[in-house]
Structures are given as structure tokens and as C-alpha cells.
Amino acid sequence: MPPYRRTFLFTASSLALTGSALAAPTPLTDHKSHKTAATHRQPTAIRAAQDESISVSTHHRAHGNQVTLSHHLLEQQVAGTNPLKTLAQIPGVQFQSDDPQGIDTYSVQLFVHGFVQNEIGMTLDGIPLGEPTFRNYNGLNPLQAVSSENVERIDVTQGAGAESAASTNNLGGSINYVVSRPHDHTGGTIAQTFGSNALYHSFFRFDSGRLNPTGTRFFVSYMRNQTGKWKGGGDQFMQQVNARIVQPVRSSSEISAYFNWDALNMVNYQDYTPNWLQNNGPNLDNFYGLPNAWTNAYNASRGIFPAGYNNIADPKDISYYESTASSADLFGGITADLALTDRLRWKTTFYGHEETGHGTYASPYACKDPSAIRCPASADTLQLNGGRIFEQVRRPYVERFGGTTALEYTLNHHAISAGLWYENNRYDTRALGYQEPILGEGNPINPFGSYAGIPYRTLWHQSYNTNTFSAYVQDTYHIRPSLTLHAGFKSLLNTTHVGDASNWALRFPAQTSGESLTTASAFLPHLSADWNFLPQHELFVDISENIHAYPQSGYNSSNAPLAVSQAAYNSIRGTLRPETAWTFAGGYRYNGSWAQANVYGYHTNFRNRLQQILASPTGGSLLTNTTATVQNVGGVTMNGVDAGLTLTPLRGLSFFNSISYNHAVYDQNILSSGTLYHTKGQQVVGYPSFMYKTRLAYNWKNLETFIDAQYYSARSFDYVGDYKIAPYWMSDLGVSYTLHNIALGGSRSPRVNRMLFSFNIYNLANTTYVSTMGQNGFTMNNQDGAAFNNQSILIGAPRQFFGSVRAEF
């Protein structure tokens, strides 16, 4: 089953929550002390222009403990790897993808202490990235916002995240990508990676250096990533251009601009059921890209299946011709960061973003006749030519613009700041059914083509317009060099209006139209304290409340209240409330020269959880899916703890171990379609209750090696917890060697400042495992094998090999 086939549920995204301070081991992170005086309020961006070796924040973020992942940690991954995958080394974080680089946007799934990615606020240099889900509606996946090679660092704050984060969904914290700055000296980078399944990853960057006495400089880069799938046919392709220009203004101010263009064309992997994995192995996939693909797909639509499909309950459901995703983005902003006085700074950003694209699948469910090459004519036939396969195409469109502005004032031991954020977002989504040819009467549609001139039918169409206004005030009070208190609050007003909807009345009920939903909260408090009570010893606490604005999506595609029929919306409109969460967290950290240790505990109360409820199990095609409703099904209570220990007994040697325990359970039973399901006290779906992570690394002169392993316990695959996905181990290995100052010729010839050779093995033990789960929703229970046959898992890639060379001039 392809990604545009069934109802898209990330109900796990609303189910579990965490606190604010993430205590990660020193070798994985860079922590800076909370000892900023008024004279040190110059922003990192300005100082980095003076010293290019600075790669982490040099002033304190006291509102919750901020964890920084440095560029060096990102560089240890295979080139082009999704930077979010690096976060999986941190306790309490789970990253899943069906490809080794984590670039398949359909399969990417990030959990941070139980929060999935659309419950975590994400920004790029402060510009909001919205909810980075596959069916994005108000933002941009970070992978598509910046090339991984241009990410200088990632700042992670949990709990409510920073009050200043421009986000409507940061129940579980915030992640801010920091883009690298143009270098002071003219130069560039050339990098090439080769790997399993014909992977070719290329990266080129040019830095202008200082162009004039004022320090004007820029960089521009191009990235291209193409890899074949590890099973099935087709490939996954992405290319991207980044550019950034910086204009210093006097000694401590600047104006900068950032631009991103990206385009991706990806052939998706087949969605799986646990049944297929158990009985047929991990290698079943769509027909696209394989020999005789169209013939085999058409025969399957007539009930003539390949060998081995006879033990599948509905073999048509694994007989799709193709499933693909395409998108293109224009994204960027301009920022003025100005020192108005030696104590007062003003930072303002204006940004814009446009995303176009489409997702497809060629469905074998155009008609129910079991064998005829041509479907019989009927009043509601999808294709006029009677073809057995039709191309269903989703066409989303996102257009948003906005701005942020903030003032920061230092007064004695206080750092006081206040800011505003406004955004207008237009989201248009529709599903179209295009006519595919009958076998022998033409070639199938190119899923990456224009579809011009091909007969089609509009299945459904919705258009949203959203205005968001947010404000915050905060004060960080440095009582003593060792003790810091923080207090602040955030206000949010978010209103979404869905306009007139259209639908194919013979298959779809009237959809919600002409309705509005508002999320409003005037006071979302955040309190924290940090105390370095002895040298190298630290205690911290964090208390926060936050809110999640109502999500959006296409019809029947998520837990979006307006993406249902008008009748379904009318039945629940009086019970809808925005999701909210209170989090209480605290911890202890020790940073010694031979050992680093941490313990972090959290308690979260999550209220008004929204969940999509299906009237009956999905099956066959979106054209035969039953309608759904979105209900307020109560809350989740979570208690969790992380503990980590890193030993550094010898110079260059580090040994890291961490454990994470998460007890996140539903507070109520769920009543659905007249049946009471006993979910109270059951562990939330999709997220393991126990994780263990270990990493052994050794550096000697120019040689660097590491091997890491991660264990994930069983995950619930339905809400009552009577079917679970098996636990698994995952391990990776990396080796790199660096050369410096290499002459390419005579004394006046160009020189390579740094050349890096690296070799990586993904899935070292060649484990067969379930990666992403719940992408098409979770069943309520496993009665009659409902969970066992739920086509809502993706299989992780087998062992893969990669080699890279990188030259910096």
C-alpha cells in the first residue's frame, strides 16, 4: 500500500510528551555555562564572523537546558544524511526511516521523549518550519530547507521549548537549525560520496570571502543526491541550492539573507503489514521500475498475481504499480540584527515560502470485476476508457509569508526580551483521479510528468487560510554566577478558515466547508532554574505549559478536525479543544575530565488529545475508505527518566552508555462506533518504553573511528496494546582519516586546507526490523488480526556501505 492510499494517522504524535532539559553526555553535545554578563550579549552570529572556529552558542540559554549538536557530529554521518538522524544518539530520542540516509520524506519519523515531529517546533535561524510531516501544510521539512553540509549546529530545547520559538506545535520542545556563515576567506568545498544501491551524493560550495572593507561576503552551494532503492525498482532523487549573504553594519550589527531551492522526486517503498513481514519476508514492493512492471501490475488487478502472493489475504493490496512523491520549494528570508545601544538589540526577520508538488499511486481498485481486461461501464466508473488501474494524485500547495521581531535588553543581572511573530499561510489540497491506459493500448502515466491532456476527475478539494499571531516576554535573572532563574510566558492566537469544498458526490460525502477554528491562549508560562552548586556539578528544573494549534490536512488524512465530512464535523464541533500539555522536569549533570554523567526525569500531563476514529477498517483504496471523525479522546500521563554515563579514561577514547525509560499511558478508555475499547493504562502506540544506546569512539592523530549500537524495546501497534512490534538492535560503524594543508603543485598552486576520507557501514549486523510505524494509522485492537494485517509499517534497510571524499580549499 502506497503513502497516498489509506488514511494518514499520526495519532501517536499527540500521545506522549516530555520535559524541558535534555541531559546528554558531553561527547555528544556542547554545553555552555549560564554566566552571561551584560557585556557578553553580542550574538553568536556576529562573533562567529570574527572567529570561524566558533561553532556553538557562546551565551547562555537559561530557559531550559539547551543541547547543541555540533557540525563535527553531523559530519560523522554519511554525507547527505538527514541531520535529525544525528539526534537519535541522544537519550530519549528515536529516529526512524526506511532508507539509511533518512531522506525518504514519507518514512521519516522522529520521537523525542514520546513526542513525534509534528509536536516539536522546528525553525531555521529562527524562521518557522512548521509541522514537518509528510503531508506538510504550514512549513517545510528541515531536510528540504538546508543541505546537511551547510548545517553549522542544531540547538535542541525540550519541554515548551524557548518562548521565542516561532511555532504553534512545540508541545515537546523546539529544534533550531543554524546555517553556517560565509567564510572570511575565498574558498570552497567539493565532496563526493558513493554507496550501496548506486548512491551518488555530490556537494559543491563556493565562499566569496570578504569582498570589501565592510566585510560583505556570501556563499552558494549545490547538492545532488541520487540513490536506487534497496528493494523494488526506481530511485530517490533530490537536488538543492543554498545561498547566504552577510553584510556587517559597523562592529556589532549585520543584515543577512538566506535562500533555498530544492526539488525531489522519490519512488516510495511499499507499506507493509506484520503479516507480510512474517510470511513473505521484507522484500515485497511495488512493480514500478522492475521488468514487465506495467504488465504484471495490470495482471494483478485482474487477479493474476506473482508467485508467493497466494498466502496474502488481499494480494491486490500489495500489487500497486507505483507510489511516488515530488515537491519543489522556494524558501528564504532577510534578517536585520542591530545593536541599537550597548544594552539593547533589535532583531527582525521577514520570510516567505512556496511549495508545489504531488504524490501519486497507481491503484488496482478501479473496478470490482475479478478478471475482465476492461471494467464494465457503470454510473460511477472512475475512468471513461474502462481501465482497471487509475492514477490517484494528491496536489498540495503551500504559500506562506510572515515576520518575527524581538528586542533584547540587558540590565544589571537581567536579560529581558520580548517579541512578536505573525504568519499568513494558504494551504490548498486536492485529490485527482487520472485515467491510466488499458493493457496493450498505451504506456502508463509518468508519475513525475505534467499530466497535461490526461482525462481526470476531481475526487475532493479543500482550501485553508490560517493567520497566526504570537507574542512572548521573558526575563533571565543571573542571581549569582552559579545560579540562574528564568521566567516568561507566550501568547498564541491561531485562526484557520476552510473555504468551500468540492467532492465527487458518488464516492465522497460533503466535506467540511465555510467553517473556522481558533486556538487562543493568552498565558502559557515557563519557569526554570539552573544551579552549578559545585564545580562540574549542575542541577536544573523546568516547568512549562504549551498548546498545539489545530492541525490541517487533506480529507480523511490525519487528526485534523476540518478534514472530515460536514456531518462528522457537526457531530464533534462542540467537544473540540486545542491540545495542551503541562511538563515538570528536573535533572542532575556532572562534567568531569574522566567521566560525565547525567540523570533527567520528567512528568507530563497531556489534555484534549485529538484522534482520528475510523468507522470501520480501511481497505482497498481511498475510494472505498469509510469516512472518519476526529474526536477529543482525553489525555496521556507520562513519567520518564534518562540516565547517561560517558567514560574518557584515555586521550582520544570515549565510551558512552545511556538508558531511557518512558511510561506513557492513556488516561481514558475510548468509545468508537458504539464499542468501548479498554485503552486506559496502556502504553502509547509507536514509542518504545525502553531504549539503550552505546557508542565507542577513538581518535588517534588524523584517524577517527566509532561504533555505536541502539536497542529499542517492543512498540504497541494498536491502542489496547494486544499486538506489539518486536524489539530490535541497530548498529553502525564509521572510520575517517583527515589530511591537512596539501599542496596541489608548486608554491603558488592552490592548496587543499583539509581533505577527509571516510567509510561507513549502516546496519552493521544486517538486522531485519520495522522502522516507521503508524504512517497509515493504528487499529484499536488486534481482534480478528486487525493489527496483524494493518498495512502501516515500513521495513528498515539492510546492511549498506558508503565511502566519501571531501576537499576544503
mmCIF file of all heavy atoms in Angstrom, residues 649-686:
data_model
loop_
_atom_site.group_PDB
_atom_site.id
_atom_site.type_symbol
_atom_site.label_atom_id
_atom_site.label_comp_id
_atom_site.label_asym_id
_atom_site.label_seq_id
_atom_site.Cartn_x
_atom_site.Cartn_y
_atom_site.Cartn_z
ATOM 1 N N PRO A 649 38.708 7.463 29.732
ATOM 2 C CA PRO A 649 39.882 7.105 30.525
ATOM 3 C C PRO A 649 41.216 7.425 29.859
ATOM 4 O O PRO A 649 42.212 7.637 30.543
ATOM 5 C CB PRO A 649 39.719 5.591 30.714
ATOM 6 C CG PRO A 649 38.930 5.157 29.527
ATOM 7 C CD PRO A 649 38.000 6.289 29.222
ATOM 8 N N LEU A 650 41.221 7.465 28.526
ATOM 9 C CA LEU A 650 42.436 7.751 27.787
ATOM 10 C C LEU A 650 42.176 8.878 26.804
ATOM 11 O O LEU A 650 41.053 9.076 26.344
ATOM 12 C CB LEU A 650 42.905 6.508 27.019
ATOM 13 C CG LEU A 650 43.214 5.254 27.844
ATOM 14 C CD1 LEU A 650 43.512 4.090 26.911
ATOM 15 C CD2 LEU A 650 44.381 5.503 28.796
ATOM 16 N N ARG A 651 43.207 9.602 26.472
ATOM 17 C CA ARG A 651 43.081 10.662 25.496
ATOM 18 C C ARG A 651 42.625 10.085 24.153
ATOM 19 O O ARG A 651 43.218 9.159 23.628
ATOM 20 C CB ARG A 651 44.408 11.392 25.332
ATOM 21 C CG ARG A 651 44.335 12.562 24.370
ATOM 22 C CD ARG A 651 45.653 13.295 24.295
ATOM 23 N NE ARG A 651 45.576 14.431 23.380
ATOM 24 C CZ ARG A 651 46.592 15.262 23.123
ATOM 25 N NH1 ARG A 651 47.760 15.058 23.721
ATOM 26 N NH2 ARG A 651 46.428 16.265 22.285
ATOM 27 N N GLY A 652 41.550 10.625 23.633
ATOM 28 C CA GLY A 652 41.020 10.181 22.350
ATOM 29 C C GLY A 652 40.018 9.054 22.441
ATOM 30 O O GLY A 652 39.374 8.725 21.446
ATOM 31 N N LEU A 653 39.865 8.434 23.636
ATOM 32 C CA LEU A 653 38.948 7.306 23.791
ATOM 33 C C LEU A 653 37.741 7.723 24.615
ATOM 34 O O LEU A 653 37.880 8.311 25.689
ATOM 35 C CB LEU A 653 39.661 6.143 24.487
ATOM 36 C CG LEU A 653 38.803 4.906 24.778
ATOM 37 C CD1 LEU A 653 38.371 4.236 23.479
ATOM 38 C CD2 LEU A 653 39.567 3.924 25.669
ATOM 39 N N SER A 654 36.547 7.413 24.128
ATOM 40 C CA SER A 654 35.330 7.680 24.885
ATOM 41 C C SER A 654 34.378 6.500 24.739
ATOM 42 O O SER A 654 34.284 5.882 23.673
ATOM 43 C CB SER A 654 34.647 8.965 24.417
ATOM 44 O OG SER A 654 34.170 8.828 23.093
ATOM 45 N N PHE A 655 33.694 6.190 25.841
ATOM 46 C CA PHE A 655 32.744 5.077 25.871
ATOM 47 C C PHE A 655 31.467 5.588 26.517
ATOM 48 O O PHE A 655 31.437 5.923 27.695
ATOM 49 C CB PHE A 655 33.332 3.917 26.672
ATOM 50 C CG PHE A 655 32.459 2.696 26.703
ATOM 51 C CD1 PHE A 655 31.768 2.272 25.565
ATOM 52 C CD2 PHE A 655 32.320 1.949 27.863
ATOM 53 C CE1 PHE A 655 30.967 1.146 25.587
ATOM 54 C CE2 PHE A 655 31.515 0.816 27.901
ATOM 55 C CZ PHE A 655 30.843 0.410 26.763
ATOM 56 N N PHE A 656 30.399 5.659 25.723
ATOM 57 C CA PHE A 656 29.134 6.263 26.143
ATOM 58 C C PHE A 656 28.070 5.184 26.283
ATOM 59 O O PHE A 656 27.953 4.281 25.454
ATOM 60 C CB PHE A 656 28.705 7.307 25.103
ATOM 61 C CG PHE A 656 27.238 7.642 25.132
ATOM 62 C CD1 PHE A 656 26.683 8.270 26.231
ATOM 63 C CD2 PHE A 656 26.419 7.330 24.068
ATOM 64 C CE1 PHE A 656 25.330 8.579 26.262
ATOM 65 C CE2 PHE A 656 25.072 7.633 24.080
ATOM 66 C CZ PHE A 656 24.525 8.254 25.189
ATOM 67 N N ASN A 657 27.266 5.284 27.343
ATOM 68 C CA ASN A 657 26.124 4.397 27.553
ATOM 69 C C ASN A 657 24.971 5.206 28.119
ATOM 70 O O ASN A 657 25.178 6.086 28.967
ATOM 71 C CB ASN A 657 26.475 3.271 28.535
ATOM 72 C CG ASN A 657 27.445 2.273 27.949
ATOM 73 O OD1 ASN A 657 27.053 1.303 27.311
ATOM 74 N ND2 ASN A 657 28.733 2.511 28.167
ATOM 75 N N SER A 658 23.756 4.907 27.676
ATOM 76 C CA SER A 658 22.577 5.573 28.235
ATOM 77 C C SER A 658 21.396 4.626 28.218
ATOM 78 O O SER A 658 21.309 3.713 27.383
ATOM 79 C CB SER A 658 22.228 6.838 27.436
ATOM 80 O OG SER A 658 21.595 6.508 26.209
ATOM 81 N N ILE A 659 20.489 4.834 29.171
ATOM 82 C CA ILE A 659 19.223 4.116 29.194
ATOM 83 C C ILE A 659 18.103 5.149 29.293
ATOM 84 O O ILE A 659 18.280 6.217 29.889
ATOM 85 C CB ILE A 659 19.134 3.112 30.351
ATOM 86 C CG1 ILE A 659 19.316 3.822 31.702
ATOM 87 C CG2 ILE A 659 20.140 1.994 30.178
ATOM 88 C CD1 ILE A 659 19.059 2.912 32.887
ATOM 89 N N SER A 660 16.969 4.818 28.708
ATOM 90 C CA SER A 660 15.790 5.688 28.760
ATOM 91 C C SER A 660 14.582 4.822 29.055
ATOM 92 O O SER A 660 14.368 3.796 28.401
ATOM 93 C CB SER A 660 15.586 6.423 27.436
ATOM 94 O OG SER A 660 16.691 7.231 27.120
ATOM 95 N N TYR A 661 13.799 5.239 30.049
ATOM 96 C CA TYR A 661 12.563 4.543 30.378
ATOM 97 C C TYR A 661 11.414 5.538 30.281
ATOM 98 O O TYR A 661 11.488 6.645 30.818
ATOM 99 C CB TYR A 661 12.607 3.946 31.781
ATOM 100 C CG TYR A 661 11.286 3.311 32.182
ATOM 101 C CD1 TYR A 661 10.882 2.107 31.616
ATOM 102 C CD2 TYR A 661 10.450 3.930 33.103
ATOM 103 C CE1 TYR A 661 9.663 1.534 31.966
ATOM 104 C CE2 TYR A 661 9.238 3.352 33.466
ATOM 105 C CZ TYR A 661 8.845 2.165 32.884
ATOM 106 O OH TYR A 661 7.644 1.604 33.213
ATOM 107 N N ASN A 662 10.365 5.129 29.588
ATOM 108 C CA ASN A 662 9.219 6.005 29.369
ATOM 109 C C ASN A 662 7.938 5.233 29.671
ATOM 110 O O ASN A 662 7.670 4.195 29.060
ATOM 111 C CB ASN A 662 9.219 6.493 27.915
ATOM 112 C CG ASN A 662 7.952 7.231 27.555
ATOM 113 O OD1 ASN A 662 6.930 6.619 27.253
ATOM 114 N ND2 ASN A 662 8.010 8.540 27.534
ATOM 115 N N HIS A 663 7.172 5.738 30.639
ATOM 116 C CA HIS A 663 5.881 5.133 30.978
ATOM 117 C C HIS A 663 4.812 6.152 30.617
ATOM 118 O O HIS A 663 4.471 7.038 31.399
ATOM 119 C CB HIS A 663 5.822 4.786 32.466
ATOM 120 C CG HIS A 663 4.538 4.125 32.880
ATOM 121 N ND1 HIS A 663 4.181 2.856 32.463
ATOM 122 C CD2 HIS A 663 3.516 4.548 33.677
ATOM 123 C CE1 HIS A 663 3.017 2.532 32.982
ATOM 124 N NE2 HIS A 663 2.584 3.534 33.717
ATOM 125 N N ALA A 664 4.299 6.041 29.394
ATOM 126 C CA ALA A 664 3.286 6.968 28.887
ATOM 127 C C ALA A 664 2.027 6.177 28.611
ATOM 128 O O ALA A 664 2.005 5.293 27.739
ATOM 129 C CB ALA A 664 3.769 7.658 27.613
ATOM 130 N N VAL A 665 0.965 6.469 29.344
ATOM 131 C CA VAL A 665 -0.253 5.663 29.256
ATOM 132 C C VAL A 665 -1.467 6.558 29.040
ATOM 133 O O VAL A 665 -1.490 7.734 29.433
ATOM 134 C CB VAL A 665 -0.454 4.816 30.520
ATOM 135 C CG1 VAL A 665 0.673 3.805 30.685
ATOM 136 C CG2 VAL A 665 -0.558 5.696 31.757
ATOM 137 N N TYR A 666 -2.477 5.983 28.404
ATOM 138 C CA TYR A 666 -3.729 6.689 28.168
ATOM 139 C C TYR A 666 -4.516 6.826 29.476
ATOM 140 O O TYR A 666 -4.532 5.920 30.312
ATOM 141 C CB TYR A 666 -4.571 5.946 27.131
ATOM 142 C CG TYR A 666 -3.874 5.761 25.817
ATOM 143 C CD1 TYR A 666 -3.584 4.486 25.327
ATOM 144 C CD2 TYR A 666 -3.488 6.854 25.053
ATOM 145 C CE1 TYR A 666 -2.939 4.312 24.115
ATOM 146 C CE2 TYR A 666 -2.834 6.687 23.844
ATOM 147 C CZ TYR A 666 -2.557 5.417 23.380
ATOM 148 O OH TYR A 666 -1.915 5.254 22.194
ATOM 149 N N ASP A 667 -5.178 7.955 29.625
ATOM 150 C CA ASP A 667 -5.925 8.234 30.844
ATOM 151 C C ASP A 667 -7.355 7.703 30.806
ATOM 152 O O ASP A 667 -7.984 7.549 31.851
ATOM 153 C CB ASP A 667 -5.988 9.754 31.093
ATOM 154 C CG ASP A 667 -4.634 10.331 31.414
ATOM 155 O OD1 ASP A 667 -3.739 9.560 31.814
ATOM 156 O OD2 ASP A 667 -4.469 11.556 31.249
ATOM 157 N N GLN A 668 -7.877 7.458 29.599
ATOM 158 C CA GLN A 668 -9.279 7.048 29.471
ATOM 159 C C GLN A 668 -9.410 5.873 28.514
ATOM 160 O O GLN A 668 -8.524 5.614 27.690
ATOM 161 C CB GLN A 668 -10.155 8.205 28.933
ATOM 162 C CG GLN A 668 -10.314 9.375 29.867
ATOM 163 C CD GLN A 668 -9.228 10.405 29.676
ATOM 164 O OE1 GLN A 668 -8.526 10.378 28.678
ATOM 165 N NE2 GLN A 668 -9.088 11.321 30.628
ATOM 166 N N ASN A 669 -10.526 5.182 28.619
ATOM 167 C CA ASN A 669 -10.927 4.253 27.579
ATOM 168 C C ASN A 669 -11.519 5.044 26.416
ATOM 169 O O ASN A 669 -11.923 6.201 26.573
ATOM 170 C CB ASN A 669 -11.950 3.248 28.107
ATOM 171 C CG ASN A 669 -11.372 2.345 29.182
ATOM 172 O OD1 ASN A 669 -10.205 1.954 29.098
ATOM 173 N ND2 ASN A 669 -12.180 2.032 30.189
ATOM 174 N N ILE A 670 -11.600 4.417 25.250
ATOM 175 C CA ILE A 670 -12.086 5.104 24.059
ATOM 176 C C ILE A 670 -13.360 4.425 23.566
ATOM 177 O O ILE A 670 -13.399 3.195 23.401
ATOM 178 C CB ILE A 670 -11.020 5.105 22.943
ATOM 179 C CG1 ILE A 670 -9.801 5.926 23.375
ATOM 180 C CG2 ILE A 670 -11.595 5.668 21.646
ATOM 181 C CD1 ILE A 670 -8.673 5.914 22.370
ATOM 182 N N LEU A 671 -14.395 5.204 23.334
ATOM 183 C CA LEU A 671 -15.646 4.716 22.770
ATOM 184 C C LEU A 671 -15.656 5.043 21.282
ATOM 185 O O LEU A 671 -15.598 6.208 20.888
ATOM 186 C CB LEU A 671 -16.844 5.363 23.466
ATOM 187 C CG LEU A 671 -18.227 4.921 22.982
ATOM 188 C CD1 LEU A 671 -18.451 3.436 23.309
ATOM 189 C CD2 LEU A 671 -19.316 5.794 23.611
ATOM 190 N N SER A 672 -15.697 4.030 20.443
ATOM 191 C CA SER A 672 -15.683 4.222 18.994
ATOM 192 C C SER A 672 -16.710 3.318 18.340
ATOM 193 O O SER A 672 -16.711 2.099 18.562
ATOM 194 C CB SER A 672 -14.292 3.922 18.428
ATOM 195 O OG SER A 672 -14.280 4.037 17.027
ATOM 196 N N SER A 673 -17.605 3.926 17.548
ATOM 197 C CA SER A 673 -18.647 3.182 16.831
ATOM 198 C C SER A 673 -19.436 2.273 17.770
ATOM 199 O O SER A 673 -19.783 1.140 17.433
ATOM 200 C CB SER A 673 -18.040 2.361 15.691
ATOM 201 O OG SER A 673 -17.392 3.201 14.771
ATOM 202 N N GLY A 674 -19.706 2.781 18.980
ATOM 203 C CA GLY A 674 -20.508 2.037 19.936
ATOM 204 C C GLY A 674 -19.755 0.986 20.721
ATOM 205 O O GLY A 674 -20.336 0.294 21.565
ATOM 206 N N THR A 675 -18.466 0.830 20.461
ATOM 207 C CA THR A 675 -17.661 -0.164 21.170
ATOM 208 C C THR A 675 -16.713 0.540 22.132
ATOM 209 O O THR A 675 -16.046 1.512 21.755
ATOM 210 C CB THR A 675 -16.848 -1.018 20.187
ATOM 211 O OG1 THR A 675 -17.743 -1.671 19.290
ATOM 212 C CG2 THR A 675 -16.008 -2.055 20.922
ATOM 213 N N LEU A 676 -16.632 0.067 23.356
ATOM 214 C CA LEU A 676 -15.724 0.618 24.344
ATOM 215 C C LEU A 676 -14.418 -0.158 24.310
ATOM 216 O O LEU A 676 -14.385 -1.371 24.537
ATOM 217 C CB LEU A 676 -16.339 0.539 25.743
ATOM 218 C CG LEU A 676 -15.491 1.150 26.869
ATOM 219 C CD1 LEU A 676 -15.366 2.660 26.681
ATOM 220 C CD2 LEU A 676 -16.094 0.818 28.234
ATOM 221 N N TYR A 677 -13.328 0.538 24.023
ATOM 222 C CA TYR A 677 -12.011 -0.086 23.973
ATOM 223 C C TYR A 677 -11.239 0.276 25.238
ATOM 224 O O TYR A 677 -11.138 1.445 25.612
ATOM 225 C CB TYR A 677 -11.254 0.384 22.727
ATOM 226 C CG TYR A 677 -11.894 -0.063 21.441
ATOM 227 C CD1 TYR A 677 -12.781 0.767 20.762
ATOM 228 C CD2 TYR A 677 -11.626 -1.317 20.911
ATOM 229 C CE1 TYR A 677 -13.386 0.352 19.578
ATOM 230 C CE2 TYR A 677 -12.217 -1.738 19.725
ATOM 231 C CZ TYR A 677 -13.094 -0.897 19.069
ATOM 232 O OH TYR A 677 -13.679 -1.314 17.904
ATOM 233 N N HIS A 678 -10.657 -0.737 25.866
ATOM 234 C CA HIS A 678 -10.010 -0.556 27.163
ATOM 235 C C HIS A 678 -8.566 -0.102 26.964
ATOM 236 O O HIS A 678 -7.613 -0.875 27.088
ATOM 237 C CB HIS A 678 -10.094 -1.845 27.963
ATOM 238 C CG HIS A 678 -11.499 -2.245 28.290
ATOM 239 N ND1 HIS A 678 -12.227 -1.654 29.304
ATOM 240 C CD2 HIS A 678 -12.327 -3.156 27.711
ATOM 241 C CE1 HIS A 678 -13.437 -2.175 29.360
ATOM 242 N NE2 HIS A 678 -13.527 -3.094 28.394
ATOM 243 N N THR A 679 -8.413 1.174 26.664
ATOM 244 C CA THR A 679 -7.091 1.758 26.449
ATOM 245 C C THR A 679 -6.500 2.366 27.719
ATOM 246 O O THR A 679 -5.302 2.648 27.754
ATOM 247 C CB THR A 679 -7.180 2.859 25.374
ATOM 248 O OG1 THR A 679 -8.170 3.820 25.775
ATOM 249 C CG2 THR A 679 -7.569 2.268 24.035
ATOM 250 N N LYS A 680 -7.305 2.585 28.739
ATOM 251 C CA LYS A 680 -6.809 3.218 29.953
ATOM 252 C C LYS A 680 -5.674 2.389 30.560
ATOM 253 O O LYS A 680 -5.794 1.185 30.758
ATOM 254 C CB LYS A 680 -7.933 3.374 30.974
ATOM 255 C CG LYS A 680 -7.505 4.110 32.238
ATOM 256 C CD LYS A 680 -8.671 4.305 33.197
ATOM 257 C CE LYS A 680 -8.226 5.072 34.437
ATOM 258 N NZ LYS A 680 -9.355 5.303 35.381
ATOM 259 N N GLY A 681 -4.552 3.075 30.840
ATOM 260 C CA GLY A 681 -3.394 2.417 31.431
ATOM 261 C C GLY A 681 -2.492 1.724 30.438
ATOM 262 O O GLY A 681 -1.455 1.176 30.832
ATOM 263 N N GLN A 682 -2.815 1.754 29.136
ATOM 264 C CA GLN A 682 -1.984 1.112 28.123
ATOM 265 C C GLN A 682 -0.910 2.065 27.617
ATOM 266 O O GLN A 682 -1.146 3.265 27.464
ATOM 267 C CB GLN A 682 -2.843 0.636 26.951
ATOM 268 C CG GLN A 682 -3.855 -0.436 27.311
ATOM 269 C CD GLN A 682 -3.202 -1.723 27.773
ATOM 270 O OE1 GLN A 682 -2.127 -2.099 27.307
ATOM 271 N NE2 GLN A 682 -3.841 -2.398 28.720
ATOM 272 N N GLN A 683 0.288 1.520 27.320
ATOM 273 C CA GLN A 683 1.381 2.312 26.779
ATOM 274 C C GLN A 683 0.981 2.878 25.424
ATOM 275 O O GLN A 683 0.305 2.207 24.631
ATOM 276 C CB GLN A 683 2.644 1.444 26.621
ATOM 277 C CG GLN A 683 3.873 2.178 26.089
ATOM 278 C CD GLN A 683 4.558 3.049 27.115
ATOM 279 O OE1 GLN A 683 4.246 2.967 28.304
ATOM 280 N NE2 GLN A 683 5.486 3.881 26.688
ATOM 281 N N VAL A 684 1.370 4.120 25.156
ATOM 282 C CA VAL A 684 1.009 4.766 23.902
ATOM 283 C C VAL A 684 1.607 4.007 22.724
ATOM 284 O O VAL A 684 2.618 3.313 22.851
ATOM 285 C CB VAL A 684 1.471 6.237 23.878
ATOM 286 C CG1 VAL A 684 0.823 7.032 24.986
ATOM 287 C CG2 VAL A 684 2.992 6.325 23.953
ATOM 288 N N VAL A 685 0.979 4.148 21.575
ATOM 289 C CA VAL A 685 1.433 3.440 20.380
ATOM 290 C C VAL A 685 2.703 4.077 19.827
ATOM 291 O O VAL A 685 2.954 5.274 19.981
ATOM 292 C CB VAL A 685 0.341 3.445 19.295
ATOM 293 C CG1 VAL A 685 -0.845 2.617 19.713
ATOM 294 C CG2 VAL A 685 -0.084 4.877 18.953
ATOM 295 N N GLY A 686 3.522 3.248 19.189
ATOM 296 C CA GLY A 686 4.618 3.733 18.358
ATOM 297 C C GLY A 686 5.916 4.054 19.046
ATOM 298 O O GLY A 686 6.938 4.193 18.367
#
